[in-house]
């Protein structure tokens, strides 16, 4: 489902690998500088630096391991093995251990050159200890960008859980039945319904996450028309749980009515309530970021869902036009107009291809062909599939 271009400018994209490229560029520049200034010490310095850098996280992992083993081994790990779960969770991963072992081996092989050059072996002890101290005090803690990147990569944000809950607990259940509900509604309402309307569920996602219970309270150009037939499903022990959608009539500037099924994304109420609770530690900037991540995650989920395809449309509502009393109706009509254009392009393409195919067929067969079956009889003698074998000396 394609969104508008102004919405694309608001949705945060997944973070790329630019920091890795910058780090590789800085490392290359530093190595070339040392190679030009002191070519004989390059390998020694790299081995020493690699050992110091890897010993710091390993030593900090020992401090974390003491806390986990003494106070959380039963509650957090439930008797799982120390080597298999607790050590990797504390930073003693295979990559870190391998890098430290290779750096230590390389430093051992070049120890004579290091002593000759006057390198300080005390750095191997002092630097990891200071790293552990600063890391424990939060001086070297991860930045907000790193935390955000980890949460997005591992799907640990609040928005990810809300988007999946909204899809698995609601949209995946009701969207496949939406077409049947539209047909039933159209049969019972013999007026101009759906002539200028939409047969998709329009899902409103406001950036401020502030959702009203009635759309009429936000825009007087929007009026409640009726409800689609209820869908009843047995869900989580509840027999015949009811799912329903409301149909609204949206009028444009000329007074023409456009009917559509519209509703807010209800998980945004959770984000809004969390931002109002001090104990949640969830401010307005975090709420806005989570709404954008909710929109992007839900869009990605629905695009991969075969059951929900072409049955929905996500509408992101920006909060910079709240002073306009008809902003909501204008936004809905804008999306309806774009949807009609997309459907017209999709429907007109096959007709054009069929027309071209008919023209080609008429050009190749100028005389009309009868569709009645006919029996064609040939007067020629039947021919063998293979030529007769000539008489040879082998006969």
């Amino acid at each position: 489902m394609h969104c508008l271009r102004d919405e694309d400018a608001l949705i945060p994209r997944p973070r790329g690998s630019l920091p890795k490229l910058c780090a590789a560029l800085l490392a290359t520049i530093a190595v070339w500088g040392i190679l030009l200034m002191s070519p004989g010490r390059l390998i020694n310095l790299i081995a020493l630096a690699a050992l110091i850098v890897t010993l710091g996280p390993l030593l900090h992992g020992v401090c974390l391991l003491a806390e986990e083993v003494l106070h959380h081994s039963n509650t957090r790990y439930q008797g799982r093995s120390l080597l298999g779960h607790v050590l990797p969770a504390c930073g003693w991963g295979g990559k870190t251990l391998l890098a430290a072992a290779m750096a230590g081996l390389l430093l051992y092989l070049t120890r004579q050159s290091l002593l000759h050059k006057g390198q300080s072996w005390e750095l191997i002890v002092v630097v990891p200890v200071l790293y552990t101290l600063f890391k424990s005090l939060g001086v070297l803690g991860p930045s907000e960008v790193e935390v955000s990147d980890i949460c997005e990569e591992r799907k640990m944000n609040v928005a990810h859980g809300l988007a999946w809950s909204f899809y698995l607990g609601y949209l995946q259940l009701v969207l496949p039945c939406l077409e049947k509900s539209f047909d039933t509604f159209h049969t019972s309402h013999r007026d101009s319904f759906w002539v200028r309307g939409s047969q998709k569920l329009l899902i409103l996602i406001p950036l401020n996450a502030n959702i009203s219970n009635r759309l009429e309270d936000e825009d007087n150009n929007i009026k409640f028309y009726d409800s689609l037939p209820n869908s009843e499903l047995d869900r989580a022990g509840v027999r015949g749980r009811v799912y329903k959608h409301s149909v609204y009539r949206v009028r444009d500037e000329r007074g023409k009515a456009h009917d559509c099924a519209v509703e807010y994304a209800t998980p945004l109420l959770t984000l809004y309530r969390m931002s109002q609770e001090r104990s949640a530690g969830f401010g307005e900037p975090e709420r806005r970021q989570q709404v954008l991540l909710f929109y992007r995650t839900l869009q990605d989920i629905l695009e991969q869902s075969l059951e929900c395809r072409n049955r929905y449309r996500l509408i992101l509502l920006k909060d910079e036009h709240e002073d306009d009393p008809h902003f909501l109706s204008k936004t809905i009509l804008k999306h309806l107009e774009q949807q009609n254009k997309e459907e017209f392009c999709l429907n007109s393409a096959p007709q054009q291809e069929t027309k071209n195919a008919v023209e080609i067929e008429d050009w190749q067969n100028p005389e009309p062909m009868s569709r009645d079956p006919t029996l064609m009889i040939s007067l020629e003698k039947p021919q063998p599939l293979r030529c007769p074998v000539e008489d040879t000396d082998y006969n």
Side-chain angles (χ1 to χ4, degrees), residues 53-67:
V53 169
T54 52
L55 283 180
L58 292 177
L59 188 59
H60 181 252
V62 173
C63 301
L64 297 178
L65 182 64
E67 169 71 18

Side-chain angles (χ1 to χ4, degrees), residues 101-266:
M102 294 180 62
L105 179 61
L106 184 60
L107 192 63
Y108 175 78
L109 296 177
T110 58
R111 64 187 184 280
Q112 298 296 332
S113 179
L114 284 172
L115 293 175
H116 178 71
K117 295 295 182 180
Q119 293 289 342
S120 178
W121 285 85
E122 291 81 1
L123 290 176
I124 302 178
V125 179
V126 175
V127 174
V129 171
L130 291 178
Y131 174 87
T132 303
L133 178 62
F134 291 156
K135 189 74 174 179
S136 301
L137 296 177
V139 179
L140 299 178
S143 62
E144 294 183 5
V145 174
E146 292 175 315
V147 174
S148 176
D149 189 20
I150 292 174
C151 292
E152 290 185 27
E153 182 180 358
R154 299 183 181 181
K155 312 298 182 184
M156 299 168 58
N157 279 295
V158 177
H160 289 100
L162 291 177
W164 276 104
S165 176
F166 189 47
Y167 167 70
L168 295 175
Y170 179 64
L171 295 180
Q172 193 182 36
L173 303 177
V174 300
L175 288 182
C177 306
L178 199 61
E179 185 176 357
K180 182 179 179 181
S181 299
F182 283 152
D183 295 338
T184 305
F185 191 92
H186 179 63
T187 303
S188 59
H189 294 71
R190 293 294 183 178
D191 55 0
S192 59
F193 189 72
W194 303 130
V195 175
R196 296 181 303 274
S198 170
Q199 297 193 16
K200 296 181 180 180
L201 180 62
L202 306 184
I203 304 174
L204 304 178
I205 302 178
L207 272 178
N208 56 9
N210 191 5
I211 297 176
S212 61
N213 296 326
R214 297 176 179 269
L215 298 182
E216 301 93 329
D217 298 338
E218 299 187 20
D219 194 332
N220 55 14
N221 283 342
I222 304 176
K223 300 297 181 181
F224 174 76
Y225 179 66
D226 204 345
S227 297
L228 291 178
N230 296 339
S231 300
E232 296 185 2
L233 299 173
D234 295 338
R235 187 70 173 172
V238 180
R239 298 296 183 88
R241 174 170 288 183
V242 177
Y243 298 89
K244 62 187 306 182
H245 308 283
S246 298
V247 178
Y248 289 88
R249 178 156 288 177
V250 185
R251 298 191 178 275
D252 55 18
E253 299 176 352
R254 297 174 295 178
K256 184 182 296 185
H258 302 262
D259 303 322
C260 53
V262 188
E263 62 186 52
Y264 282 102
T266 51

